[in-house]
């Protein structure tokens, strides 16, 4: 008599979508709402957790420097740690990324390891891409894999997200979002399996 080995379960992915801007009058929430709508349609079983730097009470120092996390900060660390992948929504400030976004990243360390990161950027003529290229270096230091393709909005205005705006062109931003999500999905599943079989040190 043979017995059938139970098949391992493959729970839905958890993706943390991190809003990196907190400037007054920011368009970041609008960009994020558009992206998460695209993502939910493309990956309906994936859980998307929105983390907004503008709503966080971040400490000045990393806990390894003697600072103890508050319950709120411990919950944030847990949300980052339990995510299988990340999408960073970022503007470009002076050819770089926002300081508060970098501070959020620096306050956590092992939570990011061996996970994929995708980017949605916006800005002027460069569409935030210079911020993305610098963030790739930051996340490489944290042992992350950054996916090649990204979504970028150049000279972004609210009109990008109106009913007749260019974000609704199937050959434009929605197509780019699909490519990003496909790559993120592949890496997230591959790396989650790898971490389970052989913990990353």
């Amino acid at each position: 008599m043979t017995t059938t080995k139970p098949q391992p379960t493959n729970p839905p992915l958890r993706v943390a979508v991190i809003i990196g801007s907190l400037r007054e009058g920011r368009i970041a929430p609008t960009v994020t709402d558009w992206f998460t709508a695209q993502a939910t349609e493309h990956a309906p079983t994936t859980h998307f957790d929105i983390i907004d730097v503008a709503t966080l009470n971040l400490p000045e120092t990393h806990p390894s420097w003697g600072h103890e996390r508050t319950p709120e900060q411990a919950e944030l660390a847990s949300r980052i740690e339990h995510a299988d992948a990340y999408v960073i929504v970022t503007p470009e400030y002076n050819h770089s990324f926002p300081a508060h976004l970098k501070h959020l990243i620096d306050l956590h360390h092992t939570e990011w390891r061996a996970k994929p990161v995708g980017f949605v950027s916006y800005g002027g003529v460069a569409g935030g891409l210079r911020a993305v290229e610098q963030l790739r270096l930051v996340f490489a230091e944290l042992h992350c894999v950054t996916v090649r393709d990204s979504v970028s909005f150049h000279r972004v205005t609210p009109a990008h997200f109106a009913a007749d705006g260019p974000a609704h062109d199937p050959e434009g931003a929605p197509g780019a979002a699909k490519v990003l999500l496909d790559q993120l999905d592949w890496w997230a599943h591959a790396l989650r399996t790898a971490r389970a079989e052989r913990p990353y040190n």
Side-chain angles (χ1 to χ4, degrees):
M1 179 178 178
T2 60
T3 58
T4 302
K5 181 183 291 187
Q7 295 298 311
T9 59
N10 191 19
L13 291 176
R14 297 177 58 87
V15 177
V17 180
I18 299 175
I19 305 176
S21 170
L22 51 61
R23 284 188 176 180
E24 185 177 353
R26 63 190 181 144
I27 199 172
T30 302
V31 177
T32 303
D33 288 345
W34 174 86
F35 175 75
T36 53
Q38 297 288 317
T40 302
E41 179 178 349
H42 181 68
T45 63
T46 299
H47 173 72
F48 294 95
D49 180 20
I50 310 300
I51 298 175
D52 187 348
V53 296
T55 66
L56 302 177
N57 179 24
L58 298 176
E60 294 183 3
T61 60
H62 189 276
S64 65
W65 303 339
H67 165 81
E68 290 196 15
R69 283 174 169 151
T70 66
E72 177 187 7
Q73 293 157 3
E75 180 188 11
L76 172 61
S78 177
R79 290 166 68 186
I80 294 174
E81 181 175 15
H82 286 93
D84 298 300
Y86 311 98
V87 174
I88 309 298
V89 180
T90 183
E92 181 180 311
Y93 296 163
N94 299 320
H95 288 214
S96 189
F97 43 76
H100 283 81
L101 172 59
K102 181 61 161 58
H103 187 49
L104 168 64
I105 295 168
D106 289 344
L107 287 174
H108 305 86
H109 186 60
T110 58
E111 293 90 346
W112 307 105
R113 285 189 170 188
K115 298 174 186 176
V117 184
F119 300 97
V120 177
S121 66
Y122 62 93
V125 65
L129 292 175
R130 291 172 292 207
V132 168
E133 290 309 305
Q134 293 185 37
L135 283 167
R136 291 186 189 278
L137 299 177
V138 173
F139 279 106
E141 181 66 18
L142 292 166
H143 302 258
C144 290
V145 175
T146 59
V147 302
R148 178 190 181 279
D149 291 272
S150 63
V151 180
S152 60
F153 293 99
H154 302 252
R155 295 192 174 95
V156 67
T157 69
H160 279 81
F161 309 96
D164 58 350
H168 293 262
D169 175 5
E171 299 302 321
K178 181 181 183 304
V179 172
L180 165 62
L181 288 161
D182 284 343
Q183 293 178 3
L184 197 72
D185 180 83
W186 191 95
W187 279 106
H189 278 101
L191 291 174
R192 182 169 70 179
T193 299
R195 291 194 309 273
E197 293 179 352
R198 185 179 180 184
Y200 186 87
N201 295 317

